[in-house]
Amino acid sequence: MSQTTSHDTLHDLISVGFGPSNLALAIALQERAQSSGQALKALFIDKQQDYRWHGNTLATQSELQISFLKDLVSLRNPTSPYSFVNYLHKQGRLVDFINLGTFYPCRLEFNDYLRWVAEHFADQAVYGEEVVRIEPHFNGDAIDLLKLVSRDSQGREHSRLTRSVVVGSGGSPRIPKLFAPFKQDPRVFHHSQYLAALEQLPCAQGQAMRIAIIGSGQSAAEAFIDLNDSFPSVKVDMILRSSALKPADDSPFVNEIFAPAYTDLVFEQQPQDREKLIEQYHNTNYSVVDVDLIERIYGILYRQKVAHQFRHSVLCRREVEAVSATDQGIELTLRDHATGKDQTHRYDAVILATGYERRSHRELLAPLQEYLQDFQVDRHYRALSDPRLKAGIYLQGFCEASHGLSDTLLSVLPARADEISQALYHALDTPRTLRESPLAADLINA
């Protein structure tokens, strides 16, 4: 068993992950410290070695799917120095961005914006450590503190105590059961590893390859376009169970479900009515593609027909029935739902654009499960618990069932961060003044 290093500092708050959700929380906490004269001692732990947001998926043609105004802070505080507009100003690109005439920056730029914001909170962040469990720290029968155990890249464990925790560890790649046995095969990989995995394949050296993409959502479409544009030696089959690629509904009235005010409406419903609301608007976020990308893909396939050169295919109504690996490639047995017939195809690589599942919070908090009410939360995202658990546990990005479809998206980050920061201040009721806080010098000299 690896040796554990115990850190002496008692934190008011430790956040698991430093993605957009917890980065927005860092901003909200700083604002509240400045306005109240009291600062919480907060720490943000992220498993990546440096700041990256979906770094392995940042293909050159990938664009953000929501307005740049839905950044980390603008919907709550448009005068904030951490707005996307101020980022553009500081980078000397504000006029150039205006000239683009778009509300949708590329993901590469939004990733750079997030990194720029994160640099302002570098003294509160620890990178290169993965939190592996969150344990109770007893005071008699009560749990007034929590112990976070993390593991660094050398396998060493670190232990820290905190009065509250915010879990924002994000989604984990969803791997269909048929592909689980091939986890160590570099020819089969999830879209979350897209760029790094492609670098290890022969197509990166210009060699011919036949690649299958499993999935019918935005990630699958972006991979299709990138392989077409960046790897002329690659032939692609996009394999989907549905009868067609379906467009995401981002029309104005429907988009109102992503407004912060809609969270109240969802939360106030009975559980069965929440499910109906989520199902009703499922086509805004799941297994759908921006219509512009659909049109691009259709155009590519049409030009193939004109030229009688059939490089790519979109195989609809296909279910993967079996998977096998040989030295010659990955063989997929596909059932055509229209005919009921099976056909086996051989590929040099398979990309699983099969989405994400949100269960990492359950694994991290397993030592506390008996004190929690099946990970349900209150309106301000605090996990419901029995009276013995005094320390606060807050969840970011795991509350879709209670708070609506926007919970896993960028749209509500500013409002949610403000709500959680307010709840933290109320629960902790810290007596420390701003001047006594380690954050004080940074805030005063900002």
Side-chain angles (χ1 to χ4, degrees):
M1 186 174 179
S2 59
Q3 184 177 358
T4 300
T5 300
S6 296
H7 298 261
D8 295 332
T9 303
L10 173 62
H11 293 85
D12 294 315
L13 164 69
I14 297 181
S15 291
V16 182
F18 206 25
S21 293
N22 278 333
L23 192 52
L25 178 60
I27 297 171
L29 289 172
Q30 187 183 87
E31 289 180 356
R32 198 164 292 275
Q34 291 171 324
S35 62
S36 70
Q38 296 178 332
L40 303 184
K41 185 165 185 59
L43 184 69
F44 300 86
I45 303 177
D46 197 277
K47 64 182 178 181
Q48 299 184 109
Q49 295 297 326
D50 52 28
Y51 198 93
R52 287 175 299 157
W53 178 58
H54 299 309
N56 266 315
T57 68
L58 297 175
T60 55
Q61 299 298 318
S62 176
E63 292 183 345
L64 203 65
Q65 293 169 263
I66 65 172
S67 168
F68 69 88
L69 292 172
K70 292 184 176 182
D71 58 19
L72 297 172
V73 68
S74 290
L75 290 182
R76 181 184 74 249
N77 178 13
T79 64
S80 169
Y82 302 115
S83 71
F84 183 77
V85 170
N86 191 49
Y87 155 79
L88 290 172
H89 171 67
K90 294 295 186 181
Q91 303 304 312
R93 294 200 304 271
L94 181 54
V95 172
D96 297 329
F97 184 84
I98 293 171
N99 288 338
L100 282 176
T102 181
F103 275 86
Y104 308 105
C106 67
R107 290 178 189 265
L108 279 170
E109 183 169 41
F110 204 76
N111 179 71
D112 191 62
Y113 157 66
L114 295 174
R115 183 189 295 114
W116 173 79
V117 175
E119 288 171 356
H120 291 80
F121 297 91
D123 60 336
Q124 297 178 62
V126 171
Y127 293 100
E129 291 185 22
E130 181 177 7
V131 177
V132 292
R133 60 187 181 276
I134 302 172
E135 301 174 342
H137 185 276
F138 290 95
N139 180 12
D141 291 333
I143 302 169
D144 54 356
L145 299 176
L146 300 170
K147 182 171 75 171
L148 271 77
V149 179
S150 59
R151 186 178 297 124
D152 62 27
S153 58
Q154 284 75 46
R156 296 171 301 203
E157 289 195 344
H158 300 261
S159 174
R160 296 176 176 89
L161 290 177
T162 179
R163 301 168 70 193
S164 54
V165 166
V166 176
V167 180
S169 46
S172 304
R174 180 182 289 112
I175 307 297
K177 290 182 180 179
L178 286 173
F179 292 95
F182 307 97
K183 189 175 182 180
Q184 303 304 319
D185 192 322
R187 298 172 297 178
V188 180
F189 54 91
H190 191 268
H191 183 260
S192 60
Q193 299 301 315
Y194 179 75
L195 293 181
L198 278 182
E199 288 178 1
Q200 307 305 315
L201 295 179
C203 62
Q205 310 303 321
Q207 298 182 36
M209 291 188 70
R210 190 179 182 197
I211 296 178
I213 302 173
I214 310 296
S216 59
Q218 185 75 12
S219 295
E222 289 180 357
F224 183 99
I225 294 294
D226 186 63
L227 289 172
N228 175 77
D229 293 354
S230 305
F231 300 91
S233 62
V234 169
K235 296 182 177 181
V236 180
D237 282 355
M238 184 188 294
I239 300 168
L240 46 145
R241 289 179 294 185
S242 58
S243 58
L245 289 173
K246 298 176 182 178
D249 188 346
D250 62 351
S251 55
F253 286 106
V254 168
N255 262 349
E256 289 188 349
I257 71 167
F258 300 120
Y262 197 81
T263 303
D264 287 323
L265 186 149
V266 175
F267 189 82
E268 290 167 2
Q269 305 299 310
Q270 294 298 314
Q272 64 272 18
D273 295 323
R274 292 174 185 165
E275 290 180 14
K276 291 178 182 177
L277 280 175
I278 292 171
E279 181 61 30
Q280 182 179 357
Y281 295 106
H282 201 261
N283 65 337
T284 61
N285 190 44
Y286 294 107
S287 299
V288 290
V289 181
D290 283 351
V291 69
D292 291 347
L293 276 187
I294 292 176
E295 291 172 349
R296 283 197 63 189
I297 292 170
Y298 194 87
I300 290 168
L301 299 179
Y302 180 78
R303 286 188 289 275
Q304 289 183 165
K305 294 177 181 178
V306 174
H308 298 284
Q309 295 177 356
F310 297 96
R311 177 181 164 195
H312 307 309
S313 297
V314 175
L315 304 179
C316 302
R317 302 175 303 275
R318 301 304 203 280
E319 186 84 32
V320 180
E321 293 291 315
V323 183
S324 62
T326 69
D327 292 339
Q328 287 72 43
I330 306 296
E331 294 185 351
L332 304 182
T333 300
L334 306 179
R335 174 161 296 173
D336 187 332
H337 287 309
T339 65
K341 296 180 179 179
D342 291 350
Q343 190 173 15
T344 299
H345 302 256
R346 180 181 295 164
Y347 298 98
D348 300 303
V350 177
I351 300 171
L352 303 175
T354 47
Y356 297 83
E357 53 190 8
R358 302 262 170 176
R359 295 190 55 84
S360 58
H361 63 303
R362 292 178 175 269
E363 298 166 3
L364 290 172
L365 295 165
L368 292 154
Q369 185 170 350
E370 66 176 285
Y371 306 97
L372 300 172
Q373 297 179 22
D374 194 29
F375 302 95
Q376 298 181 61
V377 296
D378 66 15
R379 173 60 185 82
H380 295 105
Y381 304 93
R382 180 168 179 164
L384 301 177
S385 63
D386 73 31
R388 292 172 294 171
L389 180 54
K390 308 295 185 184
I393 298 172
Y394 300 82
L395 302 180
Q396 294 221 67
F398 301 102
C399 308
E400 181 180 278
S402 57
H403 287 66
L405 283 165
S406 60
D407 188 67
T408 62
L409 307 178
L410 298 175
S411 300
V412 297
L413 294 193
R416 184 173 66 196
D418 187 55
E419 291 167 2
I420 293 176
S421 69
Q422 182 179 357
L424 282 164
Y425 266 75
H426 178 75
L428 294 171
D429 193 25
T430 176
R432 290 197 308 276
T433 64
L434 174 64
R435 195 167 300 279
E436 292 170 341
S437 166
L439 186 58
D442 294 335
L443 294 176
I444 293 170
N445 297 324

